[in-house]
Structures are given as C-alpha cells and as structure tokens.
C-alpha cells in the first residue's frame, strides 16, 4: 500500500500554468488538469486553443467543467498544509542563556517556573541547596518565560481549565473559572500523555483512510478514463452506422425515384410515337378528303368517303401518363426520426444548454418602463431598488404599482435565451410578460395576467402559475437562465451554475409580443439592495 505522503504529494496537485495547488481544477478533453482561471487566461493569450502540456489542439474551445474529485483532493491537501503549518515543531536544542550571568552569558541548564528565570549550572546551585528554593519547579531551559504569566493577574499559569481548554493562574480559578473543571498542569499533562498513543493511532487511521481514499479515487479515474474511451468508440460506431444507414436509404430512395421516372418516360415516349403516327394518318386522310371533294365522280366519292371518315382503331381518350412520385410518408418518417434524435440529445444537460445558448439575445433594460424607485445602470444591464422615489416623466409604458421593468427587445416568434444574476438578493422576480400586461394597477403576478415568471420571496422559490406553489432547490440560485420557445409555448428556467433545470411553463399559447421582465423587489433597508444583472451569455462551443 502506498503511503499517504506519496499519494497526497503536493506535486500531484500542482497546476502546470501557475505552479500552485489547483483552484477550481478543470479537465481538458485530453485528460490534463489546470486551474479554471489559468487555462482560460492561457487560451486568451494564444491564437490557437491547445493543451499547455501535450500541445493537443482543439478545433473549438472546449466547454470546461470543474473536476469535483480533483477539487476535493486539492482542498484536502491545502487543509493538511494548514494543519502542518499550525502545528509547532519540536523545540530545537536549547540555546537559552543564563539570565544571572553579568558579562559572558553561559548556556542555561534549567529554567525555574517560580522565579521565571533561566540559570546556568553555577547560578542554579542555590535551587539545589536552599530549602525554600528546592520546592521550585525546574524544567529544561525554555525561552519567553513571561508568556507563561497570566496577563490579568501577573501570576504563573500553573493550572489547566478542562472546561475552556486553557492554562490559567490560581486567581483565574477564583474569578472566571469558579465552576469549571480545573486541574494542575502536571495532572493534565499526564492525562494527555495517556491519550497520546490512542490519538497517534487515530491519526494514523485517518492517514490510512485518506490514503485508501486517494488510491480508490485514482483507480476510479483510471477506470473512468477507460470507460470514457469505450463509450466514445461505441457512440461513434452507433452514429456512424446510423449515418451509413440513412445514406444507404437515401441512395436507394433516389434510385427508386429515378427508376420510376425512367419507366414513366419510356411509357410516355411510346404513347407519343403512336399519337404522332395517328396524326400523320389523320393528316393524310384530311388531304385525301380535300382532293375527293373536288371530284365530280359520284360513284368514286361515295365509295371512298366512308373509308376516309371511319374512326381509328385506338381510342386516345384514355391515353395518359400518371406519375406516382410522392414519398411524403418516407420524408415524414425521416423528419420524425431527426426530431426524436434531437429530443434524446437534449436530455443531456450540457448539450441542451449549448443549444439554448445558440439562441442567446443581447438585452437592454427600457428606462421608459421602469418604476420610479428603480435605478438602471448606464449600460442598461443592471437594475436596483435604492428605496428612493425618483422624479420621472409620466409614461404609459411605465410600471406604476410595483418595482418592475422590461427589456427594450420584444419577441413574436422563434426561440430566445438570456441569463440574469440574482446573487446577493433576498427577493426578486424574473421571466417574460406579454406586451399588454397591466402596468398601472395592483395585479397579481400570475399567468392569467400575462406573467410567466420565477420568483424568490421570503427565502422561498415559486412561480407565477400559483401563488402558493413552493419550489424546493438544493442550492441557492446565483444566476438564472431563461429560455423561451415562442412557437411551442414553452418558458423554462435553469440554474446556470449547476446546469440544472428548475421549472418550465408548457402548453402556453402566445398571441402577442413577449418582453423579458425584471423585478428586484423592495430594498428592505439595504438587505435586498443588490442589483439584478443581465449577464453576457458565453458562446456555445
């Protein structure tokens, strides 16, 4: 079994960019780890996106995620370093000097806790001879004996309070530690020494436990790497087979369409040949009939006329080409397959978030809609309620009853996505509203009144669907992502940090323009003064 020092060595947890222990370590696709800030700064400084260690180049900047296992181990390493730093090293061999020597100071051989003085061998002699000094407590030379004095009573701290786990003097016992469990330093020392072996064994157990944990984690990482490679190969194979199958089906269907067209063309050309022959014959008859009409030979005319006027043997009424080239059912099936694949892929949170980001919009707050207590930043990206009423021009678009504001941009079709930082706030509403929402009256935050919103109020999360609804979340929201599919009637809310879905309004029927909506709520004596911030959406990679 490897030792803890070898498994949890600092070298294993050093970022190769900053050469320090990892802070928020992230893993690149090639398997190397770096501090999140370090790798992003490194990529910003170069033209190509590559790994600083193996120099593998990525076509697009990978979407990095914090390596939670590596982060926990790095945290444990930092804690161990702090414990080690806070644990005093054993005192070195004494260089304490005798405090009685006047000229050349000799090295002290003992320190007296009663005299608070260190003595060399010569000046220690009275403590070994005089009866009154023999009772003094002597120990190996120590520095800074004054530190053992009680700063309050100027007495030596020779007692130990087990209640407060502190060294005290006899006068402290009579004042602040009357009812506490107090013993002599010697007794507590003996008690502590009696527990030393047990504590040492406990520490060794903890070291062993953490060593095994590290070995297990590293083994899990190796297994995860192998499984990841297998999964990638299997996934590529499945998609390759699917693509080949679709390509083969496409080629077969195109060939059938072309073959049917060739058959139809051949049939049509046969009909055309027959029809042209018949036209030639009919034109000949017409010419003969014209010549016959010039003849005065009644007998010949009557003998020939019926033959020229007799109908052709073939009836051309039913001659025609009927093309059966409709493959709507097949196209519909392929379209449904594509939709199903998209639905399955969007069940993976990272892919769903990436696709939502493709519909990110750049929003700016509309000051003409802002309530008179709201302050909007110059760039139009932040809004806060400072608890002061501002003198603003009356505007039919302005919210009058509650501290609400809309974005300038509205949407009547398609999909759009934006993110709002709610960090530091105790209450807020964010979402979308219809253009005709009542901006002057005392209306309830509800879907009926045109609000599709998520809210925090009195430490409880909820929605505008039903006022009594409470949404339980594991972590407090710091940034909210809002995704709207106007055509499908869906408004969804996400925890941006954890990439998790929070809530969705579905089956909505939008008939008018939708505007992003923000309500920072009341200032609450500064407790809720933090602004709502429209943050830039990172590009989908």
């Amino acid at each position: 079994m490897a030792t803890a020092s070898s498994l949890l060595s600092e070298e294993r947890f050093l970022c190769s960019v900053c050469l320090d222990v990892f802070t928020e370590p992230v893993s690149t696709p090639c398997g190397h780890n770096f501090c999140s800030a370090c790798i992003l700064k490194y990529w910003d400084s170069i033209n190509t996106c590559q790994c600083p260690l193996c120099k593998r180049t990525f076509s697009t900047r990978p979407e990095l995620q914090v390596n939670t296992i590596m982060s926990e181990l790095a945290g444990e390493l930092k804690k161990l370093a702090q414990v080690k730093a806070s644990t005093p090293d054993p005192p070195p061999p004494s260089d304490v000097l005798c405090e009685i020597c006047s000229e050349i100071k000799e090295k002290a051989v003992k320190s007296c806790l009663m005299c608070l003085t260190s003595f060399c061998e010569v000046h220690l002699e009275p403590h070994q001879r005089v009866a009154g000094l023999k009772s003094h407590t002597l120990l190996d030379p120590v520095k800074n004996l004054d530190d053992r004095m009680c700063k309050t009573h100027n007495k030596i701290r020779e007692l130990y309070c087990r209640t407060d786990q502190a060294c005290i003097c006899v006068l402290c016992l009579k004042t602040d530690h009357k009812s506490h469990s107090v013993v002599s330093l010697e007794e507590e020392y003996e008690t502590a020494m009696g527990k030393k072996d047990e504590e040492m064994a406990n520490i060794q157990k903890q070291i062993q436990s953490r060593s095994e944990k590290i070995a297990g984690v590293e083994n899990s990482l190796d297994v995860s790497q192998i499984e990841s490679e297998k999964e990638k190969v299997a996934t590529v194979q499945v998609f390759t087979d699917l693509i080949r199958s679709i390509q083969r089906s496409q080629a077969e269907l195109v060939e059938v369409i072309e073959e049917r067209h060739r058959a139809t063309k051949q049939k049509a050309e046969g009909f055309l040949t027959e029809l042209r022959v018949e036209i030639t014959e009919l034109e000949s008859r017409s010419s003969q009939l014209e010549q016959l009409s010039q003849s005065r030979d009644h007998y010949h005319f009557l003998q020939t006329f019926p033959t020229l006027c007799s109908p052709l043997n073939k009836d051309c009424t039913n001659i025609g080409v009927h093309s059966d080239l409709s493959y709507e059912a097949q196209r519909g099936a392929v379209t449904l397959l594509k939709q199903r694949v998209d639905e399955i892929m969007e069940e993976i949170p990272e892919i769903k978030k990436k696709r939502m980001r493709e519909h990110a919009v750049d929003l700016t707050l509309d000051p003409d809609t802002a309530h008179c207590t709201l302050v909007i930043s110059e760039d139009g990206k932040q809004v806060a309620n400072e608890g002061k009423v501002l003198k603003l021009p009356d505007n039919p678009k302005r919210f009058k009853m509650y501290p609400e504001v809309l974005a300038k941009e509205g949407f009547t079709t398609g999909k759009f996505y934006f993110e709002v930082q709610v960090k530091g706030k105790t209450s807020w509403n964010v979402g979308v509203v219809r253009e005709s929402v009542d901006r002057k009256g005392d209306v309830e935050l509800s879907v009926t009144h045109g609000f599709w919103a998520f809210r925090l109020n009195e430490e409880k999360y909820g929605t505008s669907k039903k006022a009594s609804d409470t949404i339980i979340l594991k972590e407090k929201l710091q940034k909210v992502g809002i995704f709207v599919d106007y055509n499908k009637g869906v408004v969804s809310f996400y925890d941006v940090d954890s990439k998790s879905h929070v809530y969705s309004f579905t089956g909505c029927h939008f008939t008018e323009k939708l505007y992003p909506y923000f309500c920072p709520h009341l200032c609450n004596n500064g407790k809720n003064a933090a602004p709502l911030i429209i943050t830039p959406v990172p590009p989908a990679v």
Side-chain angles (χ1 to χ4, degrees):
M1 176 70 70
T3 63
S5 59
S6 64
L7 287 172
L8 199 58
S9 62
E10 186 172 337
E11 293 179 359
R12 291 171 175 262
F13 300 94
L14 293 183
C15 171
S16 60
V17 178
C18 67
L19 303 180
D20 202 352
V21 177
F22 288 127
T23 300
E24 293 188 359
V26 294
S27 300
T28 57
C30 55
H32 295 117
N33 298 303
F34 306 94
C35 298
S36 176
C38 291
I39 188 64
L40 292 177
K41 185 177 180 181
Y42 175 77
W43 283 341
D44 289 340
S45 65
I46 60 177
N47 295 328
T48 57
C49 185
Q50 64 178 14
C51 174
L53 283 177
C54 67
K55 304 303 179 183
R56 175 179 169 182
T57 301
F58 310 111
S59 57
T60 58
R61 180 174 292 195
E63 184 174 355
L64 303 176
Q65 297 180 6
V66 174
N67 187 328
T68 53
I69 295 176
M70 188 65 70
S71 180
E72 290 174 1
L73 291 176
E76 288 294 328
L77 182 64
K78 290 179 179 179
K79 288 181 181 178
L80 289 175
Q82 292 172 354
V83 170
K84 184 177 180 181
S86 62
T87 303
D89 295 327
S94 174
D95 285 334
V96 180
L97 300 178
C98 175
E99 297 177 33
I100 306 300
C101 293
S102 56
E103 294 183 1
I104 299 177
K105 297 282 187 179
E106 296 291 337
K107 285 186 178 181
V109 294
K110 291 291 181 181
S111 294
C112 177
L113 290 182
M114 303 298 291
C115 303
L116 294 179
T117 305
S118 296
F119 302 96
C120 64
E121 190 169 351
V122 173
H123 293 112
L124 182 64
E125 187 271 336
H127 278 76
Q128 299 169 336
R129 175 174 49 83
V130 179
L133 298 178
K134 284 184 177 181
S135 60
H136 287 194
T137 302
L138 300 175
L139 67 162
D140 290 336
V142 293
K143 295 181 179 180
N144 303 322
L145 285 171
D146 288 343
D147 291 343
R148 305 189 179 212
M149 294 290 290
C150 173
K151 300 298 185 288
T152 304
H153 304 109
N154 200 29
K155 293 280 187 181
I156 188 72
R157 290 186 288 190
E158 52 188 343
L159 301 176
Y160 185 82
C161 176
R162 289 175 171 171
T163 304
D164 293 338
Q165 295 185 340
C167 295
I168 62 173
C169 71
V170 291
L171 295 182
C172 291
L173 177 60
K174 297 178 181 179
T175 55
D176 300 332
H177 302 266
K178 275 185 178 180
S179 58
H180 293 183
S181 173
V182 177
V183 296
S184 66
L185 290 181
E186 290 80 5
E187 182 178 346
E188 183 61 23
Y189 170 79
E190 294 298 332
T191 301
M193 286 298 291
K195 297 178 181 178
K196 183 197 71 171
D197 293 341
E198 180 182 349
E199 290 301 322
M200 287 290 290
N202 184 44
I203 291 173
Q204 290 302 317
K205 283 183 180 179
Q206 293 184 53
I207 293 174
Q208 181 73 9
S209 173
R210 282 155 177 77
S211 299
E212 293 173 358
K213 179 71 173 178
I214 291 170
V217 169
E218 290 186 337
N219 181 63
S220 297
L221 284 174
D222 293 339
V223 172
S224 175
Q225 179 69 24
I226 295 171
E227 292 299 323
S228 175
E229 293 299 327
K230 288 182 179 179
E231 193 63 31
K232 282 195 294 185
V233 171
T235 299
V236 169
Q237 186 61 51
V238 168
F239 275 88
T240 300
D241 292 344
L242 175 61
I243 292 169
R244 287 175 179 170
S245 176
I246 292 174
Q247 289 175 336
R248 183 175 64 250
S249 298
Q250 174 187 331
E252 290 172 346
L253 187 55
V254 168
E255 184 179 354
V256 168
I257 294 171
E258 291 176 347
E259 180 63 33
R260 288 191 181 183
H261 173 66
R262 284 194 295 269
T264 300
K265 182 179 179 182
Q266 184 177 0
K267 185 177 180 181
E269 288 176 346
F271 288 150
L272 291 173
T273 300
E274 291 179 17
L275 290 171
R276 289 188 180 105
V277 170
E278 291 178 357
I279 288 173
T280 301
E281 182 179 348
L282 289 171
E283 288 176 342
S284 174
R285 286 188 183 188
S286 176
S287 177
Q288 292 177 42
L289 187 58
E290 180 64 30
Q291 292 177 2
L292 185 64
S293 65
Q294 305 297 326
S295 174
R296 296 301 179 184
D297 186 346
H298 298 161
Y299 177 82
H300 177 68
F301 181 89
L302 292 175
Q303 286 293 106
T304 308
F305 183 78
T307 303
L308 295 177
C309 294
S310 63
L312 297 177
N313 294 331
K314 194 167 187 179
D315 184 6
C316 68
T317 305
N318 296 322
I319 292 178
V321 177
H322 303 285
S323 177
D324 183 15
L325 297 177
S326 176
Y327 298 91
E328 185 176 350
Q330 290 78 5
R331 290 197 304 273
V334 174
T335 300
L336 290 175
L337 173 62
K338 177 185 178 300
Q339 291 175 350
R340 182 56 185 149
V341 170
D342 286 342
E343 290 172 359
I344 293 173
M345 295 304 294
E346 287 190 2
E347 291 177 3
I348 302 173
E350 292 83 357
I351 293 178
K352 186 173 184 66
K353 185 173 182 181
K354 176 183 176 181
R355 294 186 177 180
M356 286 192 305
R357 284 179 170 176
E358 292 174 353
H359 302 283
V361 291
D362 185 17
L363 301 179
T364 306
L365 296 169
D366 185 359
D368 290 341
T369 66
H371 185 265
C372 61
T373 59
L374 298 183
V375 176
I376 297 175
S377 62
E378 290 186 8
D379 62 0
K381 302 297 184 182
Q382 301 186 29
V383 58
N385 189 338
E386 297 182 354
K388 299 177 182 179
V389 177
L390 306 175
K391 291 183 180 180
L392 300 174
D394 190 18
N395 192 309
K397 297 196 299 181
R398 191 180 306 284
F399 285 95
K400 184 177 181 181
M401 187 62 63
Y402 297 109
E404 301 165 308
V405 63
L406 304 182
K408 292 180 179 180
E409 298 76 16
F411 304 88
T412 56
T413 188
K415 303 173 183 178
F416 61 95
Y417 174 78
F418 60 99
E419 294 178 354
V420 185
Q421 180 177 305
V422 296
K423 184 178 180 180
K425 297 193 64 60
T426 58
S427 58
W428 45 263
N429 306 335
V430 294
V432 293
V433 300
R434 63 189 179 206
E435 186 174 22
S436 64
V437 69
D438 188 346
R439 310 186 189 195
K440 306 299 180 183
D442 185 6
V443 295
E444 181 185 10
L445 184 77
S446 67
V447 172
T448 305
H449 292 111
F451 294 86
W452 291 270
F454 196 81
R455 58 178 169 79
L456 171 64
N457 193 20
E458 296 179 354
E459 300 300 320
K460 294 181 181 179
Y461 293 103
T463 72
S464 59
K465 183 175 182 180
K466 191 176 180 181
S468 59
D469 282 350
T470 299
I471 307 295
I472 306 299
L473 302 180
K474 294 181 180 179
E475 300 290 339
K476 188 172 182 179
L477 290 174
Q478 304 295 323
K479 188 182 291 187
V480 183
I482 299 96
F483 177 73
V484 179
D485 189 331
Y486 189 102
N487 300 337
K488 287 187 177 181
V490 176
V491 180
S492 299
F493 299 87
Y494 295 86
D495 182 341
V496 174
D497 293 330
S498 66
K499 301 182 178 66
S500 60
H501 174 259
V502 173
Y503 184 82
S504 286
F505 294 94
T506 58
C508 307
H509 182 59
F510 303 127
T511 58
E512 54 185 282
K513 186 176 287 188
L514 294 181
Y515 284 91
Y517 160 80
F518 312 85
C519 176
H521 280 211
L522 300 178
C523 182
N524 194 16
N525 296 322
K527 296 179 181 178
N528 191 39
L532 291 175
I533 304 175
I534 302 172
T535 58
V537 177
V541 291

